[in-house]
Amino acid sequence: MVKDELKVKRIKNGTVIDHIKANRALNILSMLNLPDDETPIMVAINVESSHMGKKDIIKIEGRELSQEEVDKLVLLAPQATLNIIRDYENIRKSPVELKDELVGVVKCSNPNCITNSNEPIENRFYVQNKEPVKLRCYYCERTMDYEDIESQF
Ligand SMILES: [Zn+2]
């Protein structure tokens, strides 16, 4: 582990999300429906980072993220690193990566979009820009930026 990751205690099993853009940790927790009544969580906000100036870190004990949560995480924190910890070992460390197309991850902000009707059509977006994120609806062409996406979680 690098020195600046040791500011909060190590966890035995769970998830460490590192290199989150500063001040976005609370949005990410809200997206993950955390905190809840039982999950221990450690959050560092606006800590020094050698690469990024300032960053946030989240450590979640006893929980790993689902693919759907990872897909949302990448929208909120495009530079983040996802670490899966099992028995104090970092078994997987990967940068999260935004795909060129997103299906079923976020809702279109256009109330008249066909994906918001009663039709059984799944949300689908082209990723027009990754950072800052900009999505375009496949069906109605509405574009969505970070604020539009974040407000859904
Ligand atoms: Zn749409």
Side-chain angles (χ1 to χ4, degrees):
M1 258 191 184
V2 219
K3 208 172 164 198
D4 71 352
E5 287 176 324
L6 293 173
K7 281 178 178 152
V8 279
K9 94 173 179 41
R10 294 176 67 189
I11 57 176
K12 188 178 182 201
N13 293 297
T15 303
V16 177
I17 309 168
D18 197 0
H19 305 111
I20 300 166
K21 197 165 171 175
N23 274 312
R24 289 196 180 173
L26 296 180
N27 294 335
I28 290 166
L29 285 176
S30 152
M31 179 273 285
L32 296 171
N33 295 315
L34 292 170
D36 58 18
D37 289 337
E38 35 199 72
T39 311
I41 303 164
M42 286 160 280
V43 182
I45 294 175
N46 277 331
V47 294
E48 299 286 336
S49 159
S50 41
H51 313 294
M52 301 170 65
K54 302 251 187 225
K55 66 173 182 180
D56 293 359
I57 307 169
I58 301 175
K59 300 193 177 196
I60 306 165
E61 209 159 337
R63 176 166 164 190
E64 295 178 12
L65 303 192
S66 67
Q67 188 56 50
E68 189 191 346
E69 289 170 333
V70 174
D71 288 343
K72 289 177 181 171
L73 171 67
V74 74
L75 291 169
L76 299 179
Q79 299 157 308
T81 318
L82 186 62
N83 304 273
I84 305 297
I85 314 293
R86 288 186 191 153
D87 207 16
Y88 297 108
E89 294 285 327
N90 191 342
I91 63 147
R92 191 162 70 101
K93 181 168 187 158
S94 57
V96 293
E97 210 175 321
L98 192 52
K99 298 172 204 140
D100 296 327
E101 210 175 291
L102 293 176
V103 178
V105 180
V106 285
K107 285 183 282 195
C108 184
S109 62
N110 174 6
N112 298 319
C113 180
I114 190 163
T115 61
N116 288 321
S117 71
N118 291 326
E119 303 289 324
I121 294 174
E122 209 164 19
N123 305 292
R124 186 168 166 189
F125 290 90
Y126 297 118
V127 177
Q128 266 191 330
N129 196 47
K130 296 193 178 186
E131 179 66 1
V133 65
K134 197 172 180 191
L135 306 179
R136 185 163 49 85
C137 180
Y138 176 82
Y139 298 98
C140 74
E141 309 232 306
R142 168 75 60 106
T143 56
M144 305 218 307
D145 62 14
Y146 179 80
E147 272 69 34
D148 298 322
I149 295 163
E150 187 261 314
S151 67
Q152 294 191 12
F153 302 134

